[in-house]
Amino acid sequence: MRLIFEIVIYCLMYMILIKIVKKDNPVNCLFFYPKQVKDKMYELGLADEENINKSEKVFYTWFL
């Protein structure tokens, strides 16, 4: 029972962190995608590397 409770809490915390990082733009979570996808998004001008790196640092700081 305790294990199930811990799993549920962990999933909720993960979901909240994703929501914080994502804000109102799903491109902010681009750091989850492979390098080829990131490069294509930068090439198309849909994302900039500075904002993605900032979002990644925020996510992993809170996640760890």
Side-chain angles (χ1 to χ4, degrees):
M1 184 66 177
R2 181 176 177 203
L3 180 63
I4 293 172
F5 181 71
E6 288 176 4
I7 291 171
V8 169
I9 294 296
Y10 180 77
C11 289
L12 288 173
M13 287 174 44
Y14 186 76
M15 185 177 64
I16 290 169
L17 281 173
I18 295 296
K19 184 69 175 170
I20 289 170
V21 171
K22 184 183 135 206
K23 297 179 186 163
D24 292 329
N25 189 358
V27 176
N28 290 337
C29 290
L30 191 62
F31 57 88
F32 287 120
Y33 291 93
K35 185 173 178 6
Q36 295 86 4
V37 175
K38 291 181 196 177
D39 292 340
K40 188 66 172 180
M41 294 292 278
Y42 299 146
E43 180 183 317
L44 293 173
L46 298 174
D48 60 0
E49 199 166 350
E50 181 180 323
N51 285 342
I52 301 305
N53 288 339
K54 182 181 173 186
S55 296
E56 183 177 16
K57 287 178 185 176
V58 167
F59 177 78
Y60 285 118
T61 300
W62 284 98
F63 185 69
L64 295 176

